[in-house]
Amino acid sequence: MDELGLVLAEAAVKAIGAVGGYAGGVYLRSKASNLLRLAVLVGLPGELMRPWWRMHVNRPFPVAECHRRSQPIHLADGEEAMQRFPQLMAGLPFPFGSLYAPVTCDDDRFGVLVALRPATPGQPVGEADRRRITDAGLRLGADLGELQDTGTPVLWEWEPVVVHAPDAQTPGSAVRPVRIGRFDWDLGSGSLTADEELCAILGIDSPGFTGTIDALAESVVPEDAYQLWAMAREAARHERPVVRRIRLHHLEGPPFLVELAGRPAHHPSGTATCRITGSLIDLGAGMIAGEAGDRLPDGVFALDRACRITYVNRIAEKLIGTNRHDLVGRVLWEAVPWLDSPAYADYYRAALLSHSAVEFQAGRGQDDWFTLTLFPGHQGVTGTVVAAERPDYTPGSVSHPGAGIGTFASPADRASALYRPVALAIALTEAVTARQVSAVVTEELLPAFGGRQLAIYVLHERHLYLAWETGFPAGFLEPFDGVGLDARIPGVETLTTGRPIFFESMDTLAAAYPGLAIDASVGARAFLPLIASGRPVGSCILGFDHPRGFAPEERTVLTALAGLIAQALERAQRYDSESALARGLQDALLPHRLPVIRNVETAGRYLPGTQGMDVGGDWYDVIETDRGLALVIGDVQGHGVSAAAIMGQLRSAVRAFALAGREPDEVMSGTNRLLIDLDPAQFATCCYVRLDPATGAAQAVRAGHPQPLLRRPGGRTEVLDLPGGIVLGVDPEEAYPVSELTLEPGAVLALYTDGLIEEAGTDIDAGIERLRSTLSRVSGITIADTADRLIREARHATDRPDDIALLLTARWTGREAGRTLADPGGS
């Protein structure tokens, strides 16, 4: 290993240990300015992490963002990572914590230092660990700056160097050694002496031993040899003794425990130097552990964090079909070819990253099938292998036509299969209600993956409630409606852990959750957590008619789409909440009862829109004043709480001006200036009519609002041509002209907002004519029934972007209300 690799490896190992991590590495810049390369990987198999060897600096991943912004990133668990970097969790959907520190020196950005560690749900990364990872990045940056100053290019163009971190020291954990070999290494002279026992343990010919560290390093795997050099560098910089415990893996045998002690020393010449003494311990695990493990009825094996086999009992040896001496020391999937499949890679990654038990089935040939369970820990993995029945499908593949996108025959097949998920993503951006979201998922997601069943649960007050279902037997999901987050069912656990859960058959689901009610289906299930902005939203369940595997690409797509579904549902819930608030405001601000006035009868109606936020700023009002009856209708631009609040303020202003005896033009001018003071970016239209109930004389003023309709006593209806000013909220000096008109006994004045006359694809004049024609044909019904009839057609529309306000005023020759309108053409 060259100097650059040693510096990177040493920094990564120390940083990972400092923050309680189990894996990590260093990304370094490359000759391509927009590309980072993984230079050192600690605690994980290199081949298993190949998809993450290269990182474009503009991709939405924490490594790239840390490098771009030169700022550390701390992710406590999978939930926080899903909130900030859903693409990361789509590829690695496991609960783990991660810390990222920029590696810089002055203005030079070299790369990113990464540490992976167990998740801490609900607990943010502590300040001490934040400081440790940041300091480690700064120290590494300073070391790389020095290397660069000496002419060493700080770039990486090769595959990553795979390094295995030192074991954590656990007091009392060491087994009494069978053999102990010792060596002494003088860093000053470079000489190394080893006793005969050490040479015997490593299989080195003692008389032919050259007495150099290189000769010793040749007997162990390359990624472990670095630790000797790293120890030497660390000891040389300390003035006090340094003690470490590491493992060395022999090229042709089991690993050995090595105790290293480095201390300052003086060379006989008088120069300062450092001496490292080491004890290589043969634990005798093959004899002691083997005897105990061979008594077990199941196959048992052990792996280190590089997935190298460190132990195999006799039952496992028999089931795997390979001599244990040919297994120990080799990577699992290299030693056992039938376990070398992309379908199993996610299981290995899940065990190494999540520290949670993982179970899957694998086959050797057509008839020999086994269930493997991996139990991970900080330093490695213990596994069991037992014989199993041949499943009806091959894990990781699709067993019948049309089942989904588990495997792809060609890039064209892949592009075709992934089109529907892309369509889903696009359609979800347009869905604004929970029902629309569920319908989109049904129409786009199920066909894309060959699914037949779908259920969406939403979270409310720590319980999951069924919001949508299709394809399940009638009533089957009812027992799961309203379950608490303490229930042990997959729909709950996928949300509380933040991890998608895939069952390739109902048998595996039943085995994982004994006692859980299972429907008669024999197919597969996918349980997806719906998490948006770091908040749990609910769960999504996909059901399939047949057993099937879920390829890594398919799991990635489903996980990413679950995030989009969650965001759409969260947006729908936010719309619902804001809509309820806006409706409450509107209900409070619109008049609950219109005044009863001699000679006049009024009827008001309000109808919310159907698209997006379904409450706007339309309003109407009838105000009794000393100078007559004020009839008001208005429309504030926009929808939602803001529009409803502005509407309330304008309604109050108009009422105050009217009750103060202001003239109609003064009412409109005063309201205009108030709106400009309230919100210079907001606009509104308004029509204000002051009516004398006794004489029918009226003065009308209009600010950008649609022209009123006047139905004559005989039924003839006309669109009034009232001059007006521009909309409210534009020009504080705008003047609003006043028009005179008269309401005869039996006449009806119709004030309305544009939602009643607008229709997609048609001219607004056509809408006004349609309304005028309808009003002219009305006969034999009351004013209240007339108002209902005028908006009946709009009420049935499923796509109505705007809300509607309508105010009808009829003038009679008497106090009685409830009169009916005369027939068209009558008197």
Side-chain angles (χ1 to χ4, degrees):
M1 185 183 297
D2 61 15
E3 182 74 4
L4 177 58
L6 282 170
V7 171
L8 297 174
E10 179 186 10
V13 169
K14 292 181 67 174
I16 293 166
V19 299
Y22 52 73
V26 180
Y27 280 86
L28 210 60
R29 64 190 183 184
S30 65
K31 291 180 180 178
S33 60
N34 59 356
L35 185 67
L36 299 175
R37 290 182 178 271
L38 183 61
V40 169
L41 177 64
V42 180
L44 290 170
E47 193 62 31
L48 203 61
M49 305 305 294
R50 179 178 285 274
W52 293 270
W53 283 9
R54 296 157 52 95
M55 182 65 60
H56 195 285
V57 296
N58 290 323
R59 296 196 67 189
F61 283 83
V63 167
E65 182 170 312
C66 177
H67 181 72
R68 285 196 313 270
R69 300 186 177 182
S70 292
Q71 294 179 349
I73 294 174
H74 314 107
L75 304 175
D77 55 19
E79 181 176 321
E80 185 176 3
M82 179 65 78
Q83 173 188 353
R84 297 182 58 185
F85 301 98
Q87 292 85 350
L88 171 68
M89 299 310 292
L92 297 171
F94 317 118
F96 62 92
S98 53
L99 291 79
Y100 308 82
V103 179
T104 62
C105 182
D106 298 328
D107 294 331
D108 216 347
R109 293 184 294 177
F110 294 116
V112 177
L113 178 62
V114 183
L116 309 182
R117 67 181 199 172
T120 55
Q123 298 180 5
V125 177
E127 186 59 36
D129 286 338
R130 292 170 182 253
R131 185 177 61 254
R132 291 184 184 109
I133 193 71
T134 299
D135 291 346
L138 292 173
R139 286 194 298 269
L140 177 55
D143 290 343
L144 295 180
E146 292 179 3
L147 278 180
Q148 186 170 256
D149 291 342
T150 61
T152 301
V154 183
L155 299 169
W156 199 267
E157 297 294 334
W158 310 277
E159 293 186 358
V161 173
V162 179
V163 172
H164 305 296
D167 288 351
Q169 278 190 301
T170 304
S173 62
V175 180
R176 180 177 179 82
V178 175
R179 293 184 294 175
I180 300 178
R182 294 181 172 83
F183 66 89
D184 187 275
W185 180 12
D186 186 337
L187 295 184
S189 65
S191 63
L192 184 142
T193 59
D195 63 11
E196 292 185 0
E197 193 71 4
L198 183 141
C199 292
I201 293 172
L202 294 180
I204 301 174
D205 181 21
S206 181
F209 183 58
T210 60
T212 65
I213 189 64
D214 291 334
L216 181 65
E218 287 176 357
S219 301
V220 299
V221 296
E223 51 263 47
D224 282 352
Y226 111 92
Q227 296 182 82
L228 295 173
W229 295 100
M231 176 65 191
R233 290 173 55 86
E234 183 178 5
R237 292 201 296 262
H238 285 72
E239 297 180 356
R240 293 179 298 177
V242 177
V243 179
R244 291 289 184 272
R245 172 180 291 182
I246 64 175
R247 286 185 185 272
L248 294 182
H249 292 74
H250 195 274
L251 287 174
E252 299 179 355
F256 303 106
L257 186 66
V258 179
E259 299 278 1
L260 295 174
R263 64 185 187 280
H266 290 278
H267 194 266
S269 64
T271 59
T273 184
C274 178
R275 301 187 70 85
I276 294 180
T277 59
S279 298
L280 188 145
I281 307 168
D282 179 0
L283 298 177
M287 176 178 62
I288 300 173
E291 182 181 351
D294 286 345
R295 302 190 190 107
L296 298 175
D298 297 331
V300 177
F301 60 92
L303 312 173
D304 65 9
R305 291 203 60 84
C307 286
R308 294 178 302 198
I309 302 171
T310 58
Y311 170 73
V312 182
N313 76 347
R314 192 167 298 280
I315 297 298
E317 177 186 39
K318 180 179 179 181
L319 293 174
I320 293 173
T322 303
N323 187 289
R324 73 173 96 182
H325 297 296
D326 296 328
L327 295 173
V328 173
R330 300 179 61 192
V331 174
L332 175 64
W333 50 84
E334 294 176 356
V336 187
W338 49 271
L339 289 178
D340 184 14
S341 167
Y344 308 138
D346 263 347
Y347 298 121
Y348 305 144
R349 282 191 286 264
L352 292 170
L353 291 174
S354 71
H355 283 195
S356 298
V358 176
E359 181 179 296
F360 63 98
Q361 287 189 302
R364 181 183 59 199
Q366 292 294 320
D367 300 320
D368 293 334
W369 283 85
F370 307 94
T371 297
L372 286 88
T373 307
L374 306 178
F375 301 92
H378 205 72
Q379 297 298 336
V381 178
T382 298
T384 62
V385 53
V386 296
E389 296 292 328
R390 184 180 186 275
D392 297 329
Y393 66 100
T394 300
S397 67
V398 175
S399 60
H400 65 284
I405 58 172
T407 57
F408 303 107
S410 69
D413 292 339
R414 178 184 288 106
S416 175
L418 291 180
Y419 168 77
R420 294 298 288 273
V422 172
L424 170 65
I426 295 171
L428 282 175
T429 63
E430 302 174 356
V432 292
T433 68
R435 190 169 188 83
Q436 288 174 342
V437 171
S438 301
V440 167
V441 175
T442 300
E443 294 168 3
E444 299 291 349
L445 185 63
L446 286 183
F449 292 88
R452 296 293 181 270
Q453 299 165 319
L454 170 73
I456 293 180
Y457 287 83
V458 296
L459 180 65
H460 179 66
E461 295 183 350
R462 296 189 59 79
H463 287 76
L464 285 175
Y465 294 93
L466 183 62
W468 181 276
E469 68 166 305
T470 182
F472 285 92
F476 174 73
L477 295 177
E478 290 181 2
F480 306 106
D481 190 12
V483 297
L485 294 186
D486 56 349
R488 189 180 182 274
I489 58 176
V492 169
E493 293 194 358
T494 189
L495 182 61
T496 55
T497 63
R499 289 180 54 194
I501 305 174
F502 298 94
F503 294 101
E504 298 177 330
S505 71
M506 296 305 288
D507 291 339
T508 57
L509 174 58
Y513 294 88
L516 182 67
I518 304 294
D519 63 14
S521 170
V522 295
R525 290 285 187 274
F527 296 85
L528 307 175
L530 303 181
I531 299 173
S533 303
R535 294 179 55 255
V537 176
S539 299
C540 178
I541 304 172
L542 298 179
F544 303 85
D545 288 346
H546 303 276
R548 70 191 304 282
F550 296 91
E553 288 175 293
E554 192 173 18
R555 294 177 183 230
T556 298
V557 172
L558 282 171
T559 304
L561 290 177
L564 292 177
I565 296 170
Q567 291 172 9
L569 279 176
E570 183 187 47
R571 186 171 62 249
Q573 292 173 344
R574 188 166 60 248
Y575 277 131
D576 289 342
S577 299
E578 188 175 345
S579 178
L581 177 58
R583 279 195 299 270
L585 276 174
Q586 192 122 28
D587 289 343
L589 295 171
L590 288 175
H592 293 172
R593 181 177 59 86
L594 298 179
V596 178
I597 306 296
R598 183 178 178 84
N599 299 329
V600 172
E601 185 177 5
T602 57
R605 297 290 185 269
Y606 173 79
L607 186 65
T610 61
Q611 290 186 2
M613 182 55 57
D614 59 0
V615 176
D618 291 19
W619 92 94
Y620 61 86
D621 205 356
V622 178
I623 310 164
E624 292 184 84
T625 76
D626 293 339
R627 303 186 62 181
L629 189 66
L631 310 170
V632 190
I633 197 159
D635 184 358
V636 176
Q637 176 194 40
H639 297 82
V641 174
S642 176
I646 291 291
M647 177 270 284
Q649 292 171 303
L650 294 187
R651 176 175 180 262
S652 298
V654 171
R655 177 172 282 269
F657 290 138
L659 292 174
R662 299 285 187 89
E663 293 298 324
D665 60 330
E666 294 176 334
V667 171
M668 197 65 73
S669 297
T671 305
N672 176 47
R673 287 190 291 269
L674 175 66
L675 178 57
I676 293 174
D677 291 340
L678 286 174
D679 187 348
Q682 186 63 271
F683 309 111
T685 66
C686 185
C687 185
Y688 179 91
V689 179
R690 188 172 67 186
L691 171 69
D692 183 344
T695 66
Q699 297 82 42
V701 61
R702 201 170 57 85
H705 203 80
Q707 295 281 8
L709 299 181
L710 179 61
R711 185 185 190 274
R712 301 294 181 179
R716 182 172 62 87
T717 303
E718 61 183 286
V719 180
L720 297 179
D721 186 15
L722 305 181
I726 61 175
V727 297
L728 304 175
V730 176
D731 182 1
E733 303 301 326
E734 177 70 7
Y736 296 93
V738 178
S739 302
E740 302 286 341
L741 64 146
T742 300
L743 264 68
E744 304 169 79
V748 177
L749 180 68
L751 305 179
Y752 53 90
T753 57
D754 55 9
L756 187 60
I757 55 176
E758 287 182 337
E759 185 175 338
T762 62
D763 187 80
I764 193 170
D765 290 337
I768 294 176
E769 173 57 28
R770 183 176 62 253
L771 179 63
R772 188 204 64 78
S773 177
T774 303
L775 181 58
S776 70
R777 294 193 305 270
V778 169
S779 66
I781 60 174
T782 65
I783 287 295
D785 290 339
T786 300
D788 290 337
R789 179 171 293 185
L790 292 180
I791 67 170
R792 183 179 300 158
E793 183 178 343
R795 185 182 295 277
H796 292 158
T798 58
D799 186 16
R800 187 176 61 258
D802 205 357
D803 47 351
I804 295 170
L806 171 68
L807 177 62
L808 298 183
T809 303
R811 181 170 174 264
W812 308 115
T813 54
R815 186 178 180 87
E816 309 85 32
R819 292 188 180 186
T820 60
L821 301 185
D823 291 334
S827 60

